[in-house]
Amino acid sequence: MSKIHAEHVFTSESVSEGHPDKVCDQISDAMLDACLAQDPESRVACETLVTTDLIVVSGEITTKAKPDWDAIARKVVAEIGYTDKNIGFSAEDCKVMMCIHSQSPDISQGVTAGAGLHKEQGAGDQGMMFGFASNETKELMPAPIMYAHKIVEELAHLRKSQPKKYKFLRPDAKSQVSIRYKGGKPVRVETIVVSHQHTPDMKREQLLALVKAVSKKVIPASLMKGNIAYHVNPTGSFVVGGPNGDTGLTGRKIIVDTYGGVGSHGGGAFSGKDPSKVDRSAAYMGRYIAKNIVASGLAEKCEVQLAYAIGIAQPLSINADTYSTGILEDDAMLEHIIRDVFDMTPAGIIKTLGLKNPSKNGWSYRNTAAYGHFGREGFPWEKTDKTAQLKKASAKYLKKK
């Protein structure tokens, strides 16, 4: 069982929606949204590559939908803010290549109810997925990744909402936040790093002042005390950026997408995958379970692991670790409680979280693809509606006083 350090510093990074890899994630998820909007039974595994004035979309898509792939990709790029052809990547001028074929029938029979060896809809692949929650922030997320996200998200909001005032900002950006912990609790921010693409005429002092103001706005004052080290564009210049500066690929920011390196990661990326892929849906379920466990007061922190085999519906194993913060006699008892409260079959996950009909429920997969899949309102796996059931199911396992 994991132990809590007396004192340590932990660092997490985030990247903006204009980062090349995030451009790819958003295009892939926009393609998924378009398919599901017309055909909720779509099977999508969509991968995107971006580089100088080029978008390549490839993968396995089986759908009755007929989206305008080219228009979808260009719309995402334009909304991110890549509209100036002079910086090497723009929505209007880039080339878009589509290389798509249908899903393998061998995989399809395993994830279609009644088509394979088993009657139930099975998992789309083998593997293990993790969910995590911690009460150190109101979002029940680790503090370093939560505030790293908020910094780049706020900078993007300012760039797009006040384009004249912040005309020196371009879409590509990264942030990094280091936080000191004592007794398992965050006590102060030690270091903030921001690298932000900019116009050639920007003065570094402009960005430094803006980053300090944004950091103070999005991070609680209780953590912003003492001498905080700021490293803003530490190379000195960041004019060439976005897909013109670095080639981007879907699925290359899995730690940014999850918990910033806190806890474990099964290795599977999320964006561009329909919910029959447990890489995505079971990771969402793991977060849903862990968050409800923490929200119910059963633990201050919780990590949940789910493991699957392709074509088989029930998880092969369930493990929960509360990092010695749980109120039950043994964390092993959480497996029984989780099985009592949550349906973790692929079909059960999809139904519980409404993963085939995001547009009807007021959210989109594209919106998950920047600033983290977890810790933000509006996504069904962020609900804490199972706390009463968890408390009832756990009553017989409480530690004896």
Side-chain angles (χ1 to χ4, degrees):
M1 184 170 291
S2 304
K3 294 182 178 179
I4 296 173
H5 298 290
E7 186 170 343
H8 71 285
V9 176
F10 197 88
T11 301
S12 295
E13 72 158 345
S14 181
V15 298
S16 75
E17 63 202 67
H19 185 281
D21 295 333
K22 281 288 137 200
V23 173
C24 294
D25 286 345
Q26 290 168 90
I27 291 172
S28 292
D29 271 340
M31 300 293 185
L32 171 62
D33 283 327
C35 290
L36 292 176
Q38 296 181 37
D39 177 10
E41 301 304 319
S42 297
R43 296 280 169 76
V44 179
C46 181
E47 314 292 343
T48 303
L49 175 149
V50 294
T51 187
T52 303
D53 274 338
L54 175 65
I55 300 171
V56 180
V57 181
S58 66
E60 298 76 48
I61 298 179
T62 303
T63 183
K64 296 176 183 177
K66 298 186 182 300
D68 186 337
W69 307 112
D70 187 282
I72 291 167
R74 294 184 192 278
K75 183 173 185 286
V76 170
V77 172
E79 289 177 352
I80 291 169
Y82 286 111
T83 55
D84 181 358
K85 64 180 180 180
N86 295 314
I87 66 171
F89 187 76
S90 70
E92 185 176 351
D93 294 279
C94 67
K95 299 182 287 293
V96 179
M97 294 176 58
M98 299 298 302
C99 309
I100 290 172
H101 58 276
S102 60
Q103 184 182 51
S104 160
D106 294 338
I107 297 175
S108 179
Q109 71 177 1
V111 296
T112 301
L117 292 177
H118 305 277
K119 291 183 179 180
E120 288 185 272
Q121 176 182 342
D125 202 353
Q126 70 176 45
M128 62 283 186
M129 299 82 207
F130 292 89
F132 183 87
S134 169
N135 67 359
E136 63 193 63
T137 63
K138 64 182 178 64
E139 297 88 357
L140 302 186
M141 285 285 289
I145 187 64
M146 200 69 242
Y147 300 131
H149 283 323
K150 287 180 180 291
I151 288 171
V152 283
E153 187 173 19
E154 178 63 15
L155 287 168
H157 170 71
L158 293 174
R159 171 176 60 84
K160 293 195 286 188
S161 64
Q162 302 179 57
K164 291 184 178 179
K165 184 176 182 180
Y166 298 107
K167 60 183 179 181
F168 57 88
L169 295 179
R170 287 175 173 171
D172 193 1
K174 282 187 172 184
S175 65
Q176 192 166 285
V177 176
S178 302
I179 294 181
R180 180 168 295 277
Y181 284 74
K182 290 185 179 179
K185 302 293 183 182
V187 294
R188 68 177 293 269
V189 173
E190 298 248 321
T191 308
I192 293 173
V193 181
V194 173
S195 294
H196 206 301
Q197 186 187 14
H198 59 87
T199 57
D201 60 347
M202 185 200 78
K203 290 180 171 58
R204 186 173 170 276
E205 292 73 20
Q206 287 178 282
L207 183 58
L208 177 59
L210 179 58
V211 168
K212 286 184 175 181
V214 165
S215 299
K216 290 177 181 177
K217 177 181 178 181
V218 301
I219 300 175
S222 60
L223 297 178
M224 298 290 285
K225 53 193 177 184
N227 294 320
I228 298 171
Y230 287 88
H231 299 287
V232 175
N233 281 13
T235 67
S237 179
F238 188 5
V239 174
V240 179
N244 187 42
D246 289 291
T247 296
L249 294 169
T250 297
R252 249 192 341 199
K253 286 290 175 283
I254 60 175
I255 300 303
V256 172
D257 284 343
T258 52
Y259 308 102
V262 175
S264 308
H265 197 296
F270 301 154
S271 290
K273 297 178 180 178
D274 77 83
S276 72
K277 280 79 171 171
V278 285
D279 272 351
R280 182 171 215 164
S281 55
Y284 289 171
M285 193 63 170
R287 165 65 176 173
Y288 182 53
I289 295 168
K291 186 174 184 182
N292 274 272
I293 287 171
V294 173
S296 69
L298 292 180
E300 295 179 15
K301 295 182 181 182
C302 183
E303 178 181 88
V304 173
Q305 184 202 52
L306 305 174
Y308 291 85
I310 188 167
I312 297 176
Q314 289 291 343
L316 305 184
S317 66
I318 301 168
N319 183 65
D321 184 355
T322 68
Y323 299 82
S324 301
T325 69
I327 65 171
L328 304 184
E329 290 185 7
D330 192 313
D331 281 351
M333 298 168 180
L334 280 169
E335 177 184 347
H336 306 291
I337 295 167
I338 290 168
R339 289 188 184 276
D340 285 346
V341 175
F342 299 94
D343 183 346
M344 292 162 289
T345 64
I349 294 171
I350 290 168
K351 182 179 179 181
T352 298
L353 300 179
L355 298 181
K356 286 185 179 179
N357 304 103
S359 59
K360 291 184 178 179
N361 296 309
W363 60 280
S364 70
Y365 283 104
R366 182 192 160 185
N367 284 345
T368 68
Y371 313 118
H373 291 245
F374 308 122
R376 296 190 292 139
E377 294 182 2
F379 301 133
W381 49 91
E382 293 297 316
K383 295 184 295 184
T384 54
D385 55 352
K386 296 292 186 181
T387 55
Q389 287 177 257
L390 283 168
K391 289 176 182 178
K392 182 178 180 181
S394 64
K396 61 183 178 181
Y397 299 112
L398 293 176
K399 289 179 181 177
K400 296 178 182 179
K401 296 183 179 179

